[in-house]
Amino acid sequence: MKTKIIALAAVIATTSFVSAPVAANDQLAQSICSYVAADSRNNLRKVLTDNRIRLSAVYSGVVCDGLPLVRHAIKHNATETAEFMIKQLPGSVVAASGDAEWAQSNGFGTSPVINAIKERSAS
């Protein structure tokens, strides 16, 4: 347990000092990416809870297939998980992400996630 916390602290510290996002190369990040792609909201919630992490603490540091988590979810049609993540993030982060515009310009304009993004951005 202490090893996981130390590893996570190192990832968070690294993302605080380096502007480039951390690639999904550690086990925790890989788990997060796979749960997002599989639209497994409950497993995502469980891995975050088990590791005592808030999504907002690691969101900017986890990149899946070169995409931020919400875009990764949109790409894999993981609506339930995307909506969960959007609710967990501050509205200002969601508004500044450009995820809705990215979805529109990349052929995902009909995704129900866009509405969740717009609603969260407004609050």
Side-chain angles (χ1 to χ4, degrees):
M1 183 67 169
K2 287 184 180 182
T3 305
K4 287 182 183 180
I5 293 172
I6 292 170
L8 181 61
V11 169
I12 293 170
T14 302
T15 59
S16 299
F17 299 112
V18 179
S19 60
V22 174
N25 59 3
D26 68 314
Q27 186 61 41
L28 181 60
Q30 288 176 358
S31 295
I32 290 171
C33 290
S34 66
Y35 293 144
V36 169
D39 199 13
S40 183
R41 180 191 61 168
N42 289 335
N43 285 334
L44 176 61
R45 185 187 319 237
K46 183 173 179 1
V47 77
L48 293 171
T49 302
D50 289 351
N51 289 285
R52 297 181 182 185
I53 322 171
R54 289 183 172 256
L55 181 65
S56 58
V58 295
Y59 181 77
S60 64
V62 178
V63 177
C64 307
D65 295 333
L67 298 171
L69 287 171
V70 171
R71 293 180 189 187
H72 185 65
I74 293 169
K75 179 181 173 186
H76 290 280
N77 199 28
T79 305
E80 195 174 302
T81 303
E83 290 175 353
F84 165 74
M85 290 187 297
I86 290 165
K87 289 177 184 175
Q88 297 297 310
L89 296 170
S92 59
V93 171
V94 175
S97 70
D99 291 335
E101 294 80 11
W102 175 87
Q104 292 284 350
S105 66
N106 285 285
F108 300 104
T110 59
S111 174
V113 176
I114 295 174
N115 291 332
I117 292 169
K118 289 179 180 177
E119 287 175 15
R120 184 70 175 138
S121 297
S123 60

